[in-house]
Amino acid sequence: MKVLHVSDLHIGKRVNGMSMLDDQRYILRQILDIAEKHQVSVLLIAGDVYDKASPSAEAVTVFDAFLTDAVAAGLRVLAIPGNHDSAERIAYAQGLLEKQGVCLPPVYAGEVERVELEDEHGPVEFWLLPFLKPGDVRRFFPDEEIGDDYSAALRAVLGACAIDQGKRNVVLSHQLVTAYGTAPDRADDEIKLGGMDNVDVSVYDAFDYVALGHVHRPQRVGRDTVRYSGSPLKYSFSEARYGKSVALIELGEKKPGDHVGECVSFELIPLVPLHDVREVRGTLADVLAMGAAASGSLVDAGALAGGADGEAGALGGEGEGTAADGVCDKVALGNGSRDGAASVAAVRDASQDYLHITLSDEHPQLDAMAKVHEVFPNAMMLDYDNVTVLIDRPQTQLTADPDSMDTLDLFSAFYESQVGNPLDDEQRDFARKLIAKVEDSAAKGPDGQEEGAQ
């Protein structure tokens, strides 16, 4: 049985105020194309279907269309609510949808929803575990010491499941799962203080494959068959370096005596976005030249799908996302896998990407963002990187007697102490004229008459 594992769709999300619905429609269509190409039977969605508990009408329409197309393609769809979802809304019309091959579990009431499917090797049991907090669980297990411990809560929940180890077992879960006390690799905006919501990976020891959601970077946790699929799109600039993919899982025969997960093999298939999310650094002139060169030209979409920091003048960069050692595997998006997305997009106009631009100019540039938008219309953020230079450089010491210096020399010395460079000829000429104008104005009274004021 072939299974496609995705999560964290966040349908309806806005990034820096910009709607991502067109990008989401595009990537969802690509996911279905991959499923068709690889003859997938089951699509797993491990939580965070929507970005908000009360999604917009447009977001609901996008997900409805996605489910409709998935069912039309012959897929069984199994999904769970994540922490961004409303479990009640996700469970709406579950009875009707189940008849169409879409299983959205009811609100947790002490039992985990189980779906059994079969292939030539026998039954596969899928356990649909929604995002849970200890407070959602305690009342169903009054004899268990759960408190505020997420691991204890999930152990109680899964311990109550009648798991047949002779069958292949797959669980969908949307939690922050840790291995050996180490958290998975997360984007900056996913990291929260504390660690009370961690679930230890050993909680899932009975399952051959653990389809995780909640963390946006694709990676394994502890063992190869406990895996975050990651989000299909980059939803922040802290994800710019990450490659995005879907996990294609194949469930083979489970023989007597096999270890847990031994019947599972997987492949990561890269996703190619409609617009990549990238970070670019350089002077304004270099960035504008880069944009002019990129405008209207098409680049290899697969080569840029992983994202990278870009230096102005180069569109390329690191195409693969890599996860930390230990808990996380390196996520290698193999060359042979790129065909899965090739039917959707072989090339992309890089000038349309979503950019965070960091200017290295010495001075703020007039109307910089407006100028950038002429060549990169979807640029989202612009800032300057002067702080490191100012902090790291040695301070200039004033060697002359200030009382013996005129105003221009004093200002020149002050400028050099702050910026690290002396005034050039043009700047010095401008400063001379400005100082003369200020001193002339100060020497006159309110009515413009000479008063001898100093």
Side-chain angles (χ1 to χ4, degrees):
M1 182 182 295
K2 289 186 177 180
V3 177
L4 201 63
H5 168 201
V6 303
S7 70
D8 297 274
L9 307 181
H10 288 280
I11 299 174
K13 187 174 181 64
R14 302 180 72 88
V15 177
N16 287 90
M18 184 175 292
S19 172
M20 301 295 286
L21 283 175
D22 285 344
D23 299 80
Q24 290 168 335
R25 291 187 187 95
Y26 183 89
I27 211 70
L28 291 174
R29 179 66 258 172
Q30 191 173 143
I31 288 170
L32 294 181
D33 287 346
I34 291 170
E36 181 179 3
K37 174 182 174 63
H38 292 275
Q39 299 179 317
V40 168
S41 301
V42 184
L43 175 64
L44 308 180
I45 306 175
D48 281 355
V49 171
Y50 297 113
D51 191 55
K52 296 180 179 179
S54 299
S56 66
E58 293 86 352
V60 173
T61 299
V62 169
F63 187 52
D64 176 67
F66 176 59
L67 290 181
T68 300
D69 290 344
V71 170
L75 289 170
R76 287 297 303 268
V77 181
L78 310 180
I80 59 171
N83 59 303
H84 280 251
D85 297 312
S86 162
E88 291 81 3
R89 284 189 171 90
I90 292 295
Y92 176 73
Q94 58 177 302
L96 179 62
L97 289 171
E98 174 63 25
K99 295 177 182 178
Q100 302 299 318
V102 178
C103 185
L104 304 172
V107 176
Y108 180 74
E111 294 184 359
V112 177
E113 183 81 356
R114 178 177 62 88
V115 177
E116 184 171 287
L117 303 178
E118 290 205 13
D119 64 5
E120 66 272 23
H121 299 302
V124 180
E125 300 210 322
F126 293 88
W127 302 85
L128 278 56
L129 179 64
F131 173 75
L132 293 174
K133 298 179 180 180
D136 302 322
V137 173
R138 283 192 296 264
R139 62 194 176 100
F140 300 108
F141 301 94
D143 297 330
E144 299 285 345
E145 294 184 5
I146 292 174
D148 294 323
D149 188 333
Y150 276 71
S151 291
L154 270 291
R155 283 190 198 281
V157 169
L158 294 177
C161 298
I163 300 172
D164 184 347
Q165 295 293 342
K167 298 179 181 178
R168 292 163 293 173
N169 288 277
V170 176
V171 63
L172 284 72
S173 185
H174 191 94
Q175 307 284 162
L176 178 59
V177 181
T178 61
Y180 320 117
T182 305
D185 193 16
R186 291 167 285 171
D188 292 346
D189 58 346
E190 295 180 276
I191 298 174
K192 298 180 180 179
L193 296 176
M196 296 294 291
D197 56 347
N198 294 0
V199 176
D200 190 80
V201 68
S202 62
V203 167
Y204 304 96
D205 280 351
F207 297 93
D208 294 295
Y209 185 74
V210 183
L212 294 175
H214 193 47
V215 173
H216 287 190
R217 188 170 190 178
Q219 59 197 280
R220 71 180 182 94
V221 183
R223 56 183 167 100
D224 283 339
T225 54
V226 180
R227 183 165 293 278
Y228 283 105
S229 66
S231 60
L233 291 171
K234 302 173 186 179
Y235 287 128
S236 75
F237 287 106
S238 61
E239 298 180 55
R241 287 181 176 271
Y242 296 1
K244 295 297 182 179
S245 61
V246 292
L248 177 63
I249 310 303
E250 186 160 2
L251 301 171
E253 181 182 5
K254 188 172 186 177
K255 301 175 182 177
D258 279 356
H259 297 296
V260 170
E262 195 170 341
C263 59
V264 178
S265 61
F266 73 92
E267 176 186 0
L268 300 184
I269 300 178
L271 293 170
V272 179
L274 180 61
H275 306 97
D276 200 3
V277 173
R278 297 190 290 124
E279 294 185 313
V280 174
R281 186 181 186 280
T283 65
L284 178 60
D286 288 341
V287 170
L288 295 179
M290 172 184 172
S295 182
S297 64
L298 300 178
V299 298
D300 179 356
L304 289 179
D309 281 347
E311 289 295 337
L315 289 176
E318 299 171 15
E320 295 182 355
T322 56
D325 292 334
V327 174
C328 310
D329 270 345
K330 290 184 177 180
V331 179
L333 306 183
N335 294 331
S337 300
R338 188 173 294 171
D339 292 343
S343 63
V344 179
V347 291
R348 192 187 78 253
D349 184 349
S351 69
Q352 302 300 310
D353 286 346
Y354 300 133
L355 300 184
H356 171 201
I357 295 173
T358 300
L359 296 182
S360 57
D361 296 88
E362 183 178 342
H363 308 288
Q365 301 296 296
L366 184 64
D367 294 329
M369 193 57 151
K371 293 175 181 176
V372 166
H373 276 155
E374 292 178 4
V375 293
F376 289 118
N378 293 325
M380 290 182 170
M381 294 177 63
L382 185 146
D383 55 25
Y384 289 85
D385 182 17
N386 294 334
V387 177
T388 302
V389 176
L390 293 176
I391 291 174
D392 291 345
R393 65 170 176 76
Q395 294 295 311
T396 302
Q397 298 295 321
L398 187 63
T399 57
D401 179 8
D403 292 334
S404 67
M405 301 170 68
D406 63 19
T407 305
L408 179 59
D409 289 337
L410 278 170
F411 177 76
S412 299
F414 172 75
Y415 178 89
E416 185 172 355
S417 73
Q418 295 300 304
V419 176
N421 301 310
L423 291 169
D424 59 31
D425 291 343
E426 183 179 2
Q427 291 169 331
R428 190 174 181 85
D429 185 56
F430 176 82
R432 180 186 294 110
K433 292 176 181 178
L434 183 61
I435 290 169
K437 184 176 180 180
V438 170
E439 289 180 340
D440 182 63
S441 177
K444 297 178 180 179
D447 57 358
Q449 299 300 314
E450 191 79 31
E451 291 186 349
Q454 298 298 319

